[in-house]
Amino acid sequence: MIVLDYKDRRPLYEQVAERFKELIIRGVLPADTQMPSVRSQAIALSINPNTIQRAYSQLEQQGYIYTIKGRGSFVADTGQLLDQQKAGWREEFLRMAAEGYSLGITREEMNTLTAQAETMADIHLKSSGQETERGNKD
């Protein structure tokens, strides 16, 4: 389910947290699904359980999972969280686009950048094993 990149400069707990975020956002791990136990995930990835615990703590702080004492960690309903993140991203995108236009970036250049971004997103999805149709991403 999760593959770590030991050449990546980021700490392992950040990679674990990012991979789980992707699985949650894509719906592979739907709301209220129990997360793998810290111990089992550590064994599966051959890393220290404290690394998994730190990733889970980060995910909980960011609202992606919740913990029930004695039962484990579960995927949170991230619909509202994702809506807020998308709204923030759209706001930042519009700000950057307006700044680009003010610097003299043309509409054609913007279209080229959009095409490049789509290509990069497709490559990212394929490399993470999440090949989907473009229409299903949102």
Side-chain angles (χ1 to χ4, degrees), residues 58-110:
Q58 183 178 9
L59 289 168
E60 188 167 10
Q61 289 172 353
Q62 294 172 348
Y64 287 94
I65 65 173
Y66 62 93
T67 301
I68 299 176
K69 288 241 186 242
R71 296 212 40 229
S73 297
F74 298 84
V75 176
D77 182 2
T78 58
Q80 186 177 8
L81 177 66
L82 292 176
D83 289 345
Q84 290 172 348
Q85 288 178 338
K86 286 179 183 180
W89 178 88
R90 286 182 181 105
E91 199 174 286
E92 180 67 10
F93 177 82
L94 291 174
R95 187 190 67 71
M96 291 294 294
E99 183 179 326
Y101 283 127
S102 71
L103 292 172
I105 302 292
T106 65
R107 181 169 292 197
E108 291 76 25
E109 288 174 300
M110 289 283 189

Side-chain angles (χ1 to χ4, degrees), residues 38-39 41-43 47-55:
V38 169
R39 187 172 306 282
Q41 192 64 50
I43 291 170
I47 59 177
N48 189 309
N50 292 332
T51 303
I52 302 299
Q53 185 58 50
R54 190 165 180 189

Side-chain angles (χ1 to χ4, degrees), residues 8-10 14 24 39 48 71 75-77 82 119 124:
D8 193 327
R9 292 180 183 257
R10 293 174 301 149
E14 285 183 8
I24 292 167
R39 187 172 306 282
N48 189 309
R71 296 212 40 229
V75 176
D77 182 2
L82 292 176
T119 300
H124 174 73

